[in-house]
Amino acid sequence: MTGIGTRTAATLLELRAWLGEHVSIRGEGNWDQVRLAWNRVSDQRPAVVVQPSSAEEVVAALSFARGAGMQVAVQATGHGAGAALGNLDGQVLLQMSRMRQVVVDPGRRRAQVEAGATWEEVAAAAAPHGLAGLGGSSPNVGVAGFVLGGGVGWLSRRYGLSANAVAGFEAVLPDGRVVRADRDTEPDLYWAVRGGGGAFAVITRLDIDLVPLESAYGGFMMWPVERAADVLHAWLEWTRGASEDATTSARIMQFPPIPHVPEPLRGRSFAVIDGAILGPEVDARRAIEPIRALGPVTDTFTTIPAPALNGIHLDPEDPVPAIHDGFVLSRFNHDALDSLLSVAPPIARSALLATEVRHCGGALSRPTFGQGAVGTIAGDYTVMGVGMARSPEMAQAVEASLDALSQATLPWRAERQFPNFAGRPRPAEQFFTAADLARLRRVRATYDPDQVLHSNRPLGSRGDEADYPPS
Ligand SMILES: Cc1cc2nc3c(=O)[nH]c(=O)nc-3n(C[C@H](O)[C@H](O)[C@H](O)COP(=O)(O)OP(=O)(O)OC[C@H]3O[C@@H](n4cnc5c(N)ncnc54)[C@H](O)[C@@H]3O)c2cc1C
C-alpha cells in the first residue's frame, strides 16, 4: 500500500467503516477499475480512491488525507487527466461520479448541479423546461472541471464562457469546513475557482445559470481532405462577418481505420465545418449558405433539439488515450491559416486525428462585471490538435505533431492562453495576467496553505517549484 502508514490505518478503517466499498485501496478490490480516468493516457495509480456521495463524505475523506499527509486529486470524469495533471502515486483520488444530481429551477433559469454530473445530464434535466446549460463539445465532460477551466461551447459567442454562468457553489475546504461561495460570501474563492482550477477547495455542488433554448440549427459538413485549403480559407472569411448567434469550428479530421468508425469514414480524411446557429431556422439557413455553397459531400446541418448540440463534434464518448494541446491566437488571418495547413493533411503527414480551429470572439471576448479568474478568451480563434497514444511510439508521434502545430501558429499566439484547451504542462503565467496570478496564489495560500489539493492547473510560484512542472 503506497503512502498509507500504520499511523493512519485507524482513520482509514473509520473511513472504510463509513463508506464501505466506496473506499478502494491500491492493489485491492475494485481499485483497478475506479482508479481509471476517462483519458486513459494516464495510468493513474493513487494510494486510495474515495467515491463520496455527499459533502459530509468529502469532509471525511479530506480528514483522512490530512491525517495521512497525503495530497488529494479530485476528478469528476477524468477528461482532464494527462500530462498536465501528472501522476497520482501516493495520493487520495476523490472520484465524484456518485454525486450527479441535477435539479432545475425553471423560474430562476438555474440548475443546482452536483460535482460529478456531466453536461449531458444537465441538458437532459434542463430541456423539458426549454432551457440549456452552456456545455461544450462533448456530452460526458464533467460540469465541474469544465467551468473550473473556463468552458467554451456552441453557445459561447452569444453567451460567453461557462465560468461566467456559475452563480455560486458549495465546497469543502481542505481544512474540512463546508462553505458556500458566491458574489457576497467567500468572494475571493468564488472568483478564483471560476477559471483558476481545482487548487482551492473540493467543489461539491454548483449553481449554474441556464439560457432559454429549445433548439438550434446545427450539425457538420464534410469535404474530401484535398479541399481543405479552399474550404478553410472560405470559412475563415465567412467567420469575419458571422453573427454572435453562430459558433463554429473548422477541422481536418483523419478517421482511423478501426471497426467502430462508420465504414464511409473509416481510414479517410476530411475537411469538416461544424457548429450551431441560434435564432429562426430561416435566418440560420441563410447565414450558413456560403459554406453550403462549397458543396460538402456530407451535410447534417438541420434544426436539432438543444441536448443534441453536444453530439455535433463527434467527440469520443468511450474512454480513450488522448493527447491534445490547444492555443489561443490573436490576429488569426489567411497567412496563419496557411501556416497551420502546412502541418496537416493533405500537405503534411500528421499523427493528429483532428487539427482544429474554433471561432471565438463575440461574448467570449467581452469582460463581464464580476467575472472570475478566466472570464474571456484573449483571441478570436483557438487552434487545437488531438491524437491517440495507444503505444509509446504513437505518443511520440502525436507529441511531434502537436509541437509542429504549436510552432506553425506561434507567431499569432495570444498573450493569454485558455486553460481548458491546454493539454500539456504550461507555466501558469501563460493563462493569467501577473496581477490575477498573484491573486490566485494568495487565494490558494488562504484556502489551501498546505497545498493538499493536486489540481490539473498548477499555479506554480517562486519557492513552490514542486508544483510545476508536475512530476
Ligand atoms: C473529448 C473532450 C472534449 C472537450 N471539449 C471541450 C470544450 O468543448 N470546451 C471546453 O472548454 N473544454 C473542453 N474540453 C476540456 C475539458 O473541459 C477539461 O478537460 C475539463 O477539465 C474536464 O472536466 P472534467 O470534470 O470532465 O474532468 P476531470 O479530469 O474529472 O477534472 C479536471 C480537473 O478539474 C478539477 N476538478 C474536477 N472536479 C472538481 C471538484 N469537484 N472540485 C475541485 N476540483 C475539481 C481537478 O483539478 C481536475 O484535475 C474537452 C476535453 C475532452 C477530453
Side-chain angles (χ1 to χ4, degrees), residues 93-467:
L93 171 60
L94 263 185
Q95 215 284 331
M96 306 295 282
S97 62
R98 291 176 68 217
M99 297 180 64
R100 49 210 306 168
Q101 193 184 51
V102 179
V103 179
V104 173
D105 177 345
R108 297 177 74 196
R109 289 186 185 158
R110 190 164 279 179
Q112 223 177 53
V113 180
E114 282 194 315
T118 61
W119 278 111
E120 66 185 339
E121 290 161 347
V122 172
H129 307 287
L131 298 170
L134 302 182
S137 62
S138 158
N140 57 353
V141 159
V143 176
F146 184 85
V147 299
L148 264 53
V152 65
W154 298 127
L155 310 180
S156 291
R157 280 175 39 79
R158 164 60 58 208
Y159 293 108
L161 284 181
S162 300
N164 295 335
V166 176
F169 55 85
E170 178 195 80
V172 183
L173 303 182
D175 67 10
R177 277 180 298 149
V178 181
V179 299
R180 156 98 196 159
D182 55 31
R183 198 167 64 167
D184 304 315
T185 318
E186 310 287 354
D188 277 345
L189 180 64
Y190 176 56
W191 172 82
V193 160
R194 290 175 299 146
F200 313 93
V202 179
I203 314 302
T204 47
R205 204 182 56 220
L206 298 137
D207 297 337
I208 57 168
D209 289 333
L210 305 172
V211 299
L213 186 75
E214 285 179 3
S215 60
Y217 193 71
F220 58 83
M221 297 184 197
M222 288 184 172
W223 295 258
V225 75
E226 292 69 27
R227 297 222 26 220
D230 77 280
V231 168
L232 266 66
H233 278 289
W235 171 80
L236 176 58
E237 209 49 45
W238 176 84
T239 59
R240 304 293 197 209
S243 88
E244 292 184 6
D245 284 330
T247 304
T248 55
S249 87
R251 283 181 291 173
I252 293 169
M253 293 186 77
Q254 306 190 84
F255 291 95
I258 54 177
H260 73 255
V261 171
E263 203 278 323
L265 305 178
R266 200 178 302 156
R268 297 182 61 199
S269 300
F270 295 88
V272 182
I273 289 175
D274 63 355
I277 306 178
L278 310 181
E281 178 176 326
V282 59
D283 295 343
R285 279 182 162 281
R286 196 177 307 123
I288 201 75
E289 186 46 40
I291 302 295
R292 185 162 271 145
L294 299 169
V297 290
T298 305
D299 178 356
T300 72
F301 265 88
T302 186
T303 295
I304 55 173
L309 282 171
N310 56 30
I312 289 173
H313 209 51
L314 307 176
D315 281 350
E317 294 183 36
D318 291 336
V320 291
I323 301 178
H324 78 274
D325 213 354
F327 311 97
V328 180
L329 304 184
S330 55
R331 299 174 291 100
F332 189 69
N333 54 23
H334 291 282
D335 290 343
L337 179 55
D338 275 336
S339 187
L340 177 139
L341 290 167
S342 74
V343 296
I347 297 176
R349 286 171 68 92
S350 170
L352 303 180
L353 295 186
T355 304
E356 162 182 320
V357 187
R358 284 199 195 194
H359 185 206
C360 299
L364 284 169
S365 54
R366 281 194 295 274
T368 50
F369 178 73
Q371 71 184 29
V374 174
T376 56
I377 292 189
D380 283 351
Y381 297 83
T382 58
V383 298
M384 173 135 75
V386 61
M388 294 301 142
R390 296 186 195 280
S391 67
E393 295 72 30
M394 285 176 79
Q396 217 175 6
V398 172
E399 295 280 1
S401 294
L402 288 174
D403 289 344
L405 182 63
S406 169
Q407 277 306 315
T409 52
L410 189 58
W412 296 275
R413 191 77 47 88
E415 209 174 317
R416 260 184 308 111
Q417 295 298 301
F418 180 58
N420 267 1
F421 286 174
R424 302 191 292 176
R426 309 245 195 108
E429 283 76 3
Q430 290 195 4
F431 302 108
F432 310 102
T433 63
D436 283 347
L437 183 55
R439 183 175 173 192
L440 284 169
R441 287 172 178 162
R442 282 198 303 276
V443 178
R444 184 178 49 169
T446 303
Y447 288 94
D448 188 14
D450 300 325
Q451 301 193 11
V452 171
L453 296 175
H454 174 160
S455 166
N456 70 340
R457 304 286 167 222
L459 295 173
S461 69
R462 270 190 293 281
D464 178 24
E465 290 79 5
D467 205 18

